[in-house]
Coordinates of all heavy atoms in Angstrom, one line a residue:
M1 N -3.5 -2.2 -9.7 CA -4.2 -3.4 -10.3 C -5.6 -3.4 -10.2 O -6.3 -3.6 -11.1 CB -3.5 -4.7 -9.6 CG -4.1 -6.0 -10.2 SD -3.1 -7.5 -9.7 CE -4.0 -7.8 -8.1
A2 N -6.1 -3.2 -9.1 CA -7.6 -3.3 -8.9 C -8.2 -1.9 -8.5 O -9.3 -1.8 -8.1 CB -8.0 -4.3 -7.8
Y3 N -7.3 -0.9 -8.5 CA -7.7 0.5 -8.1 C -8.9 1.0 -8.8 O -9.9 1.5 -8.3 CB -6.6 1.4 -8.1 CG -7.0 2.8 -7.9 CD1 -7.3 3.2 -6.5 CD2 -7.1 3.8 -8.8 CE1 -7.7 4.4 -6.2 CE2 -7.4 5.0 -8.4 CZ -7.7 5.4 -7.1 OH -8.1 6.7 -6.8
A4 N -8.9 0.9 -10.2 CA -10.1 1.4 -11.0 C -11.3 0.8 -10.7 O -12.4 1.3 -10.6 CB -9.6 1.4 -12.5
N5 N -11.3 -0.6 -10.6 CA -12.4 -1.3 -10.2 C -12.9 -1.0 -8.9 O -14.2 -1.0 -8.6 CB -12.2 -2.9 -10.3 CG -11.9 -3.3 -11.8 OD1 -12.2 -2.6 -12.7 ND2 -11.2 -4.4 -12.0
T6 N -12.0 -0.8 -8.0 CA -12.4 -0.5 -6.6 C -13.2 0.9 -6.6 O -14.2 1.0 -5.9 CB -11.3 -0.5 -5.6 OG1 -10.6 -1.8 -5.6 CG2 -11.6 -0.2 -4.3
Q7 N -12.6 1.8 -7.2 CA -13.2 3.1 -7.2 C -14.4 3.1 -7.9 O -15.4 3.7 -7.5 CB -12.2 4.1 -7.8 CG -12.8 5.5 -7.8 CD -11.7 6.6 -8.2 OE1 -10.6 6.3 -8.5 NE2 -12.2 7.9 -7.9
T8 N -14.7 2.4 -8.9 CA -15.9 2.3 -9.7 C -16.9 1.7 -8.9 O -18.1 2.2 -8.7 CB -15.7 1.6 -11.0 OG1 -14.8 2.2 -11.8 CG2 -17.0 1.5 -11.8
H9 N -16.6 0.6 -8.2 CA -17.6 -0.1 -7.3 C -18.0 0.7 -6.1 O -19.1 0.9 -5.7 CB -16.9 -1.3 -6.8 CG -17.8 -2.2 -5.9 ND1 -19.0 -2.9 -6.5 CD2 -17.9 -2.5 -4.6 CE1 -19.5 -3.5 -5.5 NE2 -18.9 -3.2 -4.4
A10 N -17.0 1.4 -5.6 CA -17.3 2.3 -4.4 C -18.2 3.4 -4.7 O -19.2 3.8 -4.1 CB -16.0 2.8 -3.8
M11 N -17.9 4.1 -5.9 CA -18.6 5.3 -6.4 C -20.1 4.9 -6.8 O -20.9 5.8 -6.8 CB -17.8 6.0 -7.5 CG -16.5 6.6 -7.0 SD -16.7 7.6 -5.6 CE -17.7 8.9 -6.1
A12 N -20.3 3.6 -7.2 CA -21.6 3.2 -7.6 C -22.6 3.3 -6.5 O -23.8 3.3 -6.6 CB -21.6 1.8 -8.0
H13 N -22.1 3.3 -5.2 CA -22.9 3.4 -4.0 C -23.1 4.7 -3.4 O -23.5 4.9 -2.2 CB -22.3 2.3 -2.9 CG -22.3 0.9 -3.4 ND1 -23.4 0.2 -3.5 CD2 -21.3 0.2 -3.8 CE1 -23.1 -1.0 -4.0 NE2 -21.9 -1.0 -4.2
V14 N -22.5 5.8 -4.1 CA -22.5 7.1 -3.5 C -23.5 7.9 -4.3 O -23.7 7.8 -5.5 CB -21.1 7.8 -3.7 CG1 -21.1 9.1 -3.3 CG2 -20.1 7.0 -2.9
D15 N -24.3 8.7 -3.6 CA -25.3 9.5 -4.1 C -24.6 10.6 -5.0 O -23.5 11.0 -4.7 CB -26.2 10.2 -3.1 CG -27.0 9.2 -2.4 OD1 -27.4 8.2 -3.0 OD2 -27.3 9.5 -1.1
G16 N -25.3 11.1 -6.2 CA -24.8 12.0 -7.0 C -24.1 13.3 -6.4 O -23.0 13.6 -6.8
P17 N -24.8 14.0 -5.4 CA -24.2 15.2 -5.0 C -22.9 14.9 -4.1 O -22.1 15.7 -3.8 CB -25.2 15.6 -4.0 CG -26.5 15.1 -4.4 CD -26.1 13.8 -5.1
L18 N -22.6 13.7 -3.7 CA -21.5 13.3 -2.9 C -20.4 12.8 -3.7 O -19.3 12.3 -3.0 CB -22.0 12.4 -1.8 CG -22.9 12.9 -0.7 CD1 -23.4 11.9 0.3 CD2 -22.4 14.1 0.0
T19 N -20.5 12.6 -5.0 CA -19.5 12.1 -5.8 C -18.1 12.7 -5.7 O -17.1 11.9 -5.5 CB -19.9 12.1 -7.3 OG1 -21.2 11.4 -7.5 CG2 -19.0 11.4 -8.2
A20 N -18.0 14.0 -5.6 CA -16.8 14.7 -5.4 C -16.2 14.4 -4.1 O -14.9 14.1 -4.0 CB -16.9 16.2 -5.6
D21 N -16.9 14.3 -3.1 CA -16.4 14.0 -1.7 C -15.9 12.5 -1.7 O -14.9 12.2 -1.0 CB -17.5 14.2 -0.7 CG -17.8 15.7 -0.5 OD1 -17.1 16.4 -0.7 OD2 -19.0 15.9 -0.1
G22 N -16.7 11.6 -2.4 CA -16.2 10.3 -2.3 C -15.0 10.0 -3.1 O -14.1 9.3 -2.7
T23 N -14.8 10.7 -4.2 CA -13.5 10.6 -5.0 C -12.4 11.2 -4.2 O -11.3 10.6 -4.2 CB -13.7 11.4 -6.3 OG1 -14.8 10.9 -7.1 CG2 -12.4 11.4 -7.2
A24 N -12.6 12.4 -3.6 CA -11.5 12.9 -2.7 C -11.2 12.0 -1.6 O -10.0 11.8 -1.2 CB -12.1 14.3 -2.1
L25 N -12.1 11.4 -1.0 CA -11.8 10.4 0.1 C -11.0 9.2 -0.3 O -10.0 8.8 0.2 CB -13.2 9.9 0.7 CG -12.9 8.9 1.9 CD1 -12.2 9.6 3.0 CD2 -14.3 8.4 2.4
I26 N -11.4 8.7 -1.5 CA -10.6 7.5 -2.1 C -9.1 8.0 -2.3 O -8.3 7.3 -2.1 CB -11.4 7.0 -3.3 CG1 -12.7 6.2 -2.9 CG2 -10.5 6.0 -4.1 CD1 -13.6 5.8 -4.0
N27 N -9.1 9.1 -3.0 CA -7.7 9.5 -3.3 C -6.9 9.8 -2.0 O -5.6 9.5 -2.0 CB -7.7 10.9 -4.1 CG -8.2 10.5 -5.6 OD1 -8.1 9.5 -6.0 ND2 -8.9 11.5 -6.2
T28 N -7.5 10.4 -1.0 CA -6.8 10.6 0.1 C -6.3 9.3 0.8 O -5.2 9.2 1.2 CB -7.6 11.4 1.2 OG1 -8.0 12.7 0.6 CG2 -7.0 11.7 2.5
V29 N -7.2 8.4 0.9 CA -6.9 7.0 1.5 C -5.7 6.4 0.6 O -4.8 5.9 1.2 CB -8.1 6.1 1.5 CG1 -7.7 4.7 1.9 CG2 -9.1 6.7 2.5
Q30 N -5.8 6.6 -0.6 CA -4.7 5.9 -1.6 C -3.3 6.6 -1.2 O -2.4 5.9 -0.9 CB -5.1 6.1 -3.0 CG -3.9 5.5 -3.8 CD -4.2 5.9 -5.4 OE1 -4.9 6.8 -5.7 NE2 -3.5 5.1 -6.1
Q31 N -3.3 7.8 -1.0 CA -2.2 8.6 -0.7 C -1.6 8.2 0.7 O -0.4 8.1 0.9 CB -2.3 10.1 -0.8 CG -2.4 10.6 -2.3 CD -2.8 12.1 -2.4 OE1 -2.7 12.8 -1.3 NE2 -3.1 12.5 -3.5
F32 N -2.5 8.2 1.6 CA -2.1 7.9 3.0 C -1.5 6.5 3.1 O -0.4 6.3 3.6 CB -3.4 7.9 3.9 CG -3.1 7.4 5.3 CD1 -2.4 8.3 6.1 CD2 -3.4 6.2 5.8 CE1 -2.2 7.9 7.5 CE2 -3.3 5.8 7.1 CZ -2.6 6.6 8.0
F33 N -2.1 5.4 2.5 CA -1.5 4.1 2.5 C -0.4 3.9 1.7 O 0.6 3.2 2.1 CB -2.7 3.0 2.2 CG -3.5 2.8 3.3 CD1 -4.8 3.3 3.4 CD2 -3.1 2.2 4.6 CE1 -5.6 3.2 4.5 CE2 -4.0 1.9 5.7 CZ -5.2 2.5 5.6
G34 N -0.2 4.7 0.6 CA 1.0 4.7 -0.1 C 2.2 5.2 0.8 O 3.3 4.7 0.7
A35 N 1.9 6.3 1.6 CA 2.9 6.9 2.4 C 3.3 5.8 3.5 O 4.4 5.8 4.0 CB 2.4 8.1 3.1
I36 N 2.3 5.2 4.1 CA 2.6 4.1 5.0 C 3.5 3.0 4.5 O 4.4 2.6 5.1 CB 1.2 3.5 5.5 CG1 0.4 4.5 6.4 CG2 1.4 2.2 6.5 CD1 1.0 5.0 7.6
A37 N 3.2 2.6 3.2 CA 3.9 1.5 2.7 C 5.4 1.9 2.4 O 6.3 1.2 2.6 CB 3.3 1.2 1.3
M38 N 5.6 3.2 2.0 CA 7.0 3.8 1.8 C 7.7 3.9 3.2 O 8.9 3.6 3.2 CB 6.9 5.0 1.1 CG 6.6 5.0 -0.4 SD 7.6 3.9 -1.3 CE 9.2 4.7 -1.0
T39 N 7.0 4.2 4.2 CA 7.5 4.3 5.6 C 8.0 2.9 6.1 O 9.1 2.8 6.5 CB 6.5 4.9 6.6 OG1 6.2 6.2 6.1 CG2 7.2 5.0 8.0
I40 N 7.2 1.9 5.8 CA 7.5 0.5 6.2 C 8.8 0.1 5.4 O 9.8 -0.5 5.9 CB 6.4 -0.4 5.9 CG1 5.3 -0.2 6.9 CG2 6.8 -1.9 6.0 CD1 4.0 -0.9 6.6
L41 N 8.8 0.3 4.1 CA 10.0 -0.1 3.3 C 11.2 0.7 3.7 O 12.2 0.1 3.9 CB 9.6 0.2 1.8 CG 10.7 -0.2 0.8 CD1 10.9 -1.7 0.8 CD2 10.2 0.2 -0.6
A42 N 11.2 2.0 4.0 CA 12.4 2.7 4.3 C 12.8 2.3 5.7 O 14.0 2.3 5.9 CB 12.0 4.2 4.3
T43 N 11.9 2.0 6.6 CA 12.3 1.5 7.9 C 13.1 0.2 7.8 O 14.0 0.0 8.5 CB 11.1 1.4 8.8 OG1 10.5 2.7 9.0 CG2 11.5 0.9 10.2
I44 N 12.5 -0.7 7.0 CA 13.2 -2.1 6.9 C 14.6 -1.9 6.2 O 15.5 -2.5 6.7 CB 12.3 -3.0 6.1 CG1 11.1 -3.4 7.0 CG2 13.1 -4.3 5.7 CD1 10.0 -4.2 6.3
V45 N 14.6 -1.0 5.2 CA 16.0 -0.8 4.7 C 17.0 -0.3 5.6 O 18.1 -0.6 5.7 CB 15.8 0.1 3.3 CG1 17.2 0.5 2.8 CG2 15.0 -0.7 2.2
S46 N 16.5 0.7 6.3 CA 17.4 1.4 7.3 C 17.8 0.4 8.4 O 19.0 0.5 8.9 CB 16.8 2.6 7.9 OG 15.7 2.3 8.8
M47 N 17.0 -0.5 8.7 CA 17.3 -1.5 9.8 C 18.4 -2.5 9.3 O 19.2 -2.9 10.0 CB 16.0 -2.4 10.1 CG 15.1 -1.6 11.0 SD 13.5 -2.3 11.3 CE 14.0 -3.8 12.0
T48 N 18.4 -2.7 8.0 CA 19.5 -3.7 7.4 C 20.7 -2.9 7.2 O 21.8 -3.6 7.1 CB 19.0 -4.2 6.1 OG1 18.8 -3.2 5.1 CG2 17.8 -5.0 6.2
Q49 N 20.8 -1.6 7.3 CA 22.0 -0.9 7.1 C 22.5 -0.4 8.4 O 23.5 0.5 8.5 CB 21.7 0.4 6.3 CG 21.3 0.1 4.9 CD 20.9 1.3 4.0 OE1 20.5 2.4 4.7 NE2 21.0 1.3 2.8
V50 N 22.0 -0.8 9.6 CA 22.5 -0.3 10.9 C 24.0 -0.6 11.0 O 24.5 -1.7 10.7 CB 21.7 -1.0 12.1 CG1 22.3 -0.7 13.3 CG2 20.3 -0.5 12.0
G51 N 24.7 0.4 11.4 CA 26.2 0.3 11.6 C 27.0 0.4 10.4 O 28.3 0.3 10.5
L52 N 26.5 0.6 9.3 CA 27.2 0.8 8.1 C 27.3 2.3 7.6 O 26.2 3.1 7.9 CB 26.6 -0.1 6.9 CG 26.5 -1.5 7.1 CD1 25.7 -2.3 6.0 CD2 27.9 -2.2 7.2
T53 N 28.3 2.6 7.0 CA 28.3 3.9 6.4 C 28.4 3.9 4.8 O 28.6 2.7 4.3 CB 29.6 4.8 6.8 OG1 30.8 4.0 6.3 CG2 29.6 4.8 8.3
S54 N 28.2 4.9 4.1 CA 28.3 4.8 2.7 C 29.6 4.3 2.1 O 29.7 4.0 0.9 CB 27.8 6.2 2.0 OG 28.8 7.2 2.4
A55 N 30.7 4.4 2.9 CA 31.9 4.0 2.5 C 32.2 2.6 2.7 O 33.1 1.9 2.1 CB 33.1 4.8 3.3
D56 N 31.4 1.8 3.4 CA 31.5 0.5 3.7 C 31.1 -0.4 2.5 O 30.2 0.0 1.7 CB 30.6 -0.1 4.8 CG 31.2 0.6 6.2 OD1 32.3 0.9 6.3 OD2 30.2 0.7 7.2
A57 N 31.9 -1.5 2.3 CA 31.7 -2.3 1.1 C 30.4 -3.1 1.3 O 29.8 -3.5 0.2 CB 32.8 -3.3 1.0
G58 N 29.9 -3.3 2.5 CA 28.7 -4.1 2.7 C 27.4 -3.3 2.7 O 26.3 -3.9 2.8
V59 N 27.5 -2.1 2.3 CA 26.3 -1.2 2.3 C 25.3 -1.5 1.0 O 24.1 -1.5 1.3 CB 26.5 0.3 2.4 CG1 27.1 0.9 1.0 CG2 25.3 1.1 2.8
A60 N 25.9 -1.9 0.0 CA 25.1 -2.2 -1.2 C 24.4 -3.5 -1.0 O 23.1 -3.6 -1.2 CB 25.9 -2.2 -2.5
P61 N 25.0 -4.6 -0.5 CA 24.3 -5.8 -0.3 C 23.3 -5.7 0.9 O 22.1 -6.3 0.7 CB 25.4 -6.8 0.1 CG 26.6 -6.2 -0.4 CD 26.5 -4.8 -0.4
A62 N 23.6 -4.9 1.8 CA 22.6 -4.6 3.0 C 21.3 -3.9 2.4 O 20.2 -4.2 2.8 CB 23.3 -3.9 4.1
T63 N 21.6 -2.9 1.6 CA 20.5 -2.2 1.0 C 19.6 -3.1 0.1 O 18.4 -3.0 0.2 CB 21.0 -1.0 0.2 OG1 21.8 -0.1 1.0 CG2 19.9 -0.2 -0.4
A64 N 20.3 -3.9 -0.8 CA 19.5 -4.8 -1.6 C 18.8 -5.8 -0.7 O 17.5 -6.1 -1.1 CB 20.4 -5.5 -2.5
R65 N 19.3 -6.4 0.3 CA 18.6 -7.2 1.2 C 17.4 -6.5 1.9 O 16.3 -7.1 2.0 CB 19.5 -7.8 2.3 CG 19.0 -8.9 3.2 CD 19.9 -9.5 4.2 NE 20.7 -8.5 4.9 CZ 22.0 -8.2 4.7 NH1 22.6 -8.7 3.8 NH2 22.5 -7.4 5.6
G66 N 17.6 -5.4 2.3 CA 16.5 -4.6 2.9 C 15.4 -4.2 2.0 O 14.2 -4.4 2.3
V67 N 15.7 -3.9 0.7 CA 14.7 -3.7 -0.3 C 13.9 -5.0 -0.6 O 12.7 -5.0 -0.7 CB 15.3 -3.1 -1.5 CG1 14.3 -3.1 -2.8 CG2 15.9 -1.7 -1.4
F68 N 14.7 -6.0 -0.6 CA 14.0 -7.4 -0.9 C 13.0 -7.8 0.2 O 11.8 -8.1 0.0 CB 15.1 -8.5 -1.1 CG 14.4 -9.8 -1.3 CD1 13.8 -10.2 -2.4 CD2 14.4 -10.8 -0.2 CE1 13.3 -11.5 -2.7 CE2 13.9 -12.0 -0.4 CZ 13.3 -12.4 -1.6
I69 N 13.4 -7.7 1.4 CA 12.6 -8.0 2.6 C 11.4 -6.9 2.7 O 10.3 -7.3 2.9 CB 13.4 -8.0 3.9 CG1 14.5 -9.1 3.9 CG2 12.6 -8.1 5.2 CD1 15.6 -9.0 4.9
G70 N 11.7 -5.8 2.5 CA 10.6 -4.7 2.6 C 9.6 -4.9 1.5 O 8.4 -4.8 1.8
S71 N 10.1 -5.2 0.3 CA 9.1 -5.6 -0.7 C 8.3 -6.7 -0.4 O 7.1 -6.7 -0.8 CB 9.9 -5.7 -2.0 OG 10.6 -4.6 -2.4
I72 N 8.8 -7.8 0.2 CA 8.0 -8.9 0.5 C 7.0 -8.6 1.6 O 5.8 -8.9 1.5 CB 8.9 -10.1 1.1 CG1 9.8 -10.6 0.0 CG2 8.2 -11.2 1.6 CD1 9.2 -11.2 -1.2
V73 N 7.4 -7.8 2.6 CA 6.6 -7.3 3.7 C 5.3 -6.5 3.1 O 4.2 -6.7 3.4 CB 7.2 -6.6 4.8 CG1 6.3 -5.9 5.7 CG2 8.2 -7.4 5.5
V74 N 5.6 -5.6 2.2 CA 4.7 -4.7 1.7 C 3.7 -5.6 0.7 O 2.5 -5.4 0.7 CB 5.2 -3.5 0.9 CG1 4.2 -2.8 0.1 CG2 6.0 -2.6 1.8
A75 N 4.3 -6.5 0.0 CA 3.4 -7.4 -0.9 C 2.5 -8.3 0.0 O 1.3 -8.4 -0.4 CB 4.4 -8.2 -1.8
I76 N 2.8 -8.7 1.2 CA 2.0 -9.5 1.9 C 0.9 -8.5 2.5 O -0.3 -9.1 2.5 CB 2.8 -10.0 3.1 CG1 3.7 -11.2 2.6 CG2 1.9 -10.6 4.3 CD1 4.8 -11.7 3.6
I77 N 1.2 -7.4 2.9 CA 0.1 -6.4 3.4 C -0.8 -6.1 2.2 O -2.0 -6.1 2.4 CB 0.8 -5.1 3.9 CG1 1.6 -5.4 5.2 CG2 -0.2 -4.1 4.1 CD1 2.4 -4.3 5.6
V78 N -0.3 -5.9 1.0 CA -1.2 -5.6 -0.1 C -2.0 -6.8 -0.5 O -3.3 -6.7 -0.7 CB -0.4 -5.1 -1.4 CG1 -1.1 -5.2 -2.7 CG2 0.3 -3.9 -1.1
A79 N -1.5 -8.0 -0.4 CA -2.3 -9.3 -0.7 C -3.4 -9.4 0.4 O -4.5 -9.8 0.0 CB -1.3 -10.4 -0.6
A80 N -3.0 -9.1 1.6 CA -4.1 -9.2 2.7 C -5.2 -8.2 2.4 O -6.4 -8.5 2.5 CB -3.5 -9.0 4.0
A81 N -4.8 -6.9 2.0 CA -5.8 -5.9 1.8 C -6.7 -6.4 0.6 O -7.9 -6.1 0.5 CB -5.2 -4.5 1.5
F82 N -6.0 -6.9 -0.4 CA -6.8 -7.3 -1.6 C -7.8 -8.4 -1.2 O -8.9 -8.4 -1.7 CB -5.8 -7.8 -2.6 CG -6.4 -8.1 -4.0 CD1 -7.1 -7.1 -4.7 CD2 -6.4 -9.3 -4.5 CE1 -7.7 -7.4 -6.0 CE2 -7.0 -9.7 -5.6 CZ -7.7 -8.7 -6.4
G83 N -7.4 -9.3 -0.3 CA -8.2 -10.4 0.1 C -9.5 -9.9 0.8 O -10.6 -10.3 0.6
F84 N -9.2 -8.9 1.8 CA -10.4 -8.2 2.4 C -11.2 -7.5 1.5 O -12.4 -7.6 1.6 CB -9.9 -7.3 3.5 CG -9.2 -8.0 4.7 CD1 -7.9 -7.8 5.0 CD2 -10.0 -8.9 5.4 CE1 -7.3 -8.3 6.2 CE2 -9.4 -9.6 6.5 CZ -8.2 -9.3 6.9
E85 N -10.7 -6.9 0.4 CA -11.5 -6.1 -0.5 C -12.3 -7.1 -1.3 O -13.5 -6.8 -1.5 CB -10.6 -5.3 -1.5 CG -11.3 -4.7 -2.5 CD -10.4 -4.0 -3.6 OE1 -9.2 -3.9 -3.3 OE2 -10.9 -3.7 -4.7
L86 N -11.8 -8.1 -1.7 CA -12.6 -9.2 -2.4 C -13.7 -9.7 -1.6 O -14.9 -9.9 -2.1 CB -11.8 -10.4 -2.9 CG -11.0 -10.0 -4.1 CD1 -10.0 -11.3 -4.4 CD2 -11.7 -9.6 -5.3
A87 N -13.5 -10.0 -0.3 CA -14.5 -10.5 0.6 C -15.6 -9.4 0.8 O -16.7 -9.8 0.8 CB -13.8 -10.8 1.9
A88 N -15.2 -8.2 0.9 CA -16.2 -7.1 1.0 C -17.0 -6.9 -0.1 O -18.2 -6.8 0.0 CB -15.5 -5.8 1.4
M89 N -16.3 -7.1 -1.4 CA -17.2 -6.9 -2.6 C -18.1 -8.1 -2.8 O -19.2 -7.9 -3.3 CB -16.1 -6.8 -3.9 CG -15.4 -5.5 -3.8 SD -14.3 -5.4 -5.2 CE -15.4 -5.0 -6.5
R90 N -17.8 -9.3 -2.4 CA -18.8 -10.4 -2.4 C -20.0 -10.2 -1.6 O -21.0 -10.7 -1.8 CB -18.0 -11.6 -2.1 CG -17.1 -12.1 -3.2 CD -16.6 -13.5 -2.8 NE -15.5 -13.8 -3.8 CZ -14.4 -14.4 -3.5 NH1 -14.1 -14.7 -2.3 NH2 -13.6 -14.7 -4.5
H91 N -19.8 -9.5 -0.4 CA -21.0 -9.3 0.5 C -21.8 -8.0 0.2 O -22.7 -7.8 0.9 CB -20.4 -9.2 1.9 CG -19.8 -10.6 2.4 ND1 -20.6 -11.7 2.5 CD2 -18.6 -10.9 2.6 CE1 -19.8 -12.7 2.9 NE2 -18.6 -12.3 2.9
S92 N -21.4 -7.3 -0.8 CA -22.1 -6.1 -1.1 C -23.0 -6.1 -2.3 O -23.0 -7.1 -2.9 CB -21.1 -4.9 -1.3 OG -20.4 -5.1 -2.5

């Protein structure tokens, strides 16, 4: 949603010879936090499936509940990060 604007704003403060390094850093950070978000989501889903096997009738509702809860948690983290980004952009 705000990735392109964030990268443009960040790169505006980088000297010309360091542009490639700045872009690489931004892409690395994006991949890292994407992996963290997926880890959080997978952990929450697996926590809701504790004690169930794929043959159990309750595995599908437990998975759906885990995905819902995990999505809410990740959305809250993203909203907080977005708020910090907005605050930082106002002060720069």
Side-chain angles (χ1 to χ4, degrees):
M1 178 168 90
Y3 176 70
N5 294 337
T6 303
Q7 186 168 3
T8 301
H9 182 74
M11 296 307 295
H13 301 284
V14 175
D15 294 332
L18 296 176
T19 301
D21 294 332
T23 302
L25 180 63
I26 289 172
N27 289 334
T28 301
V29 169
Q30 180 189 21
Q31 291 177 10
F32 176 75
F33 283 105
I36 295 294
M38 288 305 299
T39 301
I40 292 169
L41 185 60
T43 300
I44 292 172
V45 170
S46 68
M47 288 170 57
T48 62
Q49 296 174 336
V50 170
L52 298 173
T53 65
S54 59
D56 292 335
V59 75
T63 302
R65 185 173 54 253
V67 169
F68 177 74
I69 294 168
S71 297
I72 296 294
V73 169
V74 170
I76 290 169
I77 293 169
V78 168
F82 187 65
F84 287 123
E85 178 185 342
L86 286 176
M89 288 178 80
R90 286 189 184 136
H91 294 292
S92 65

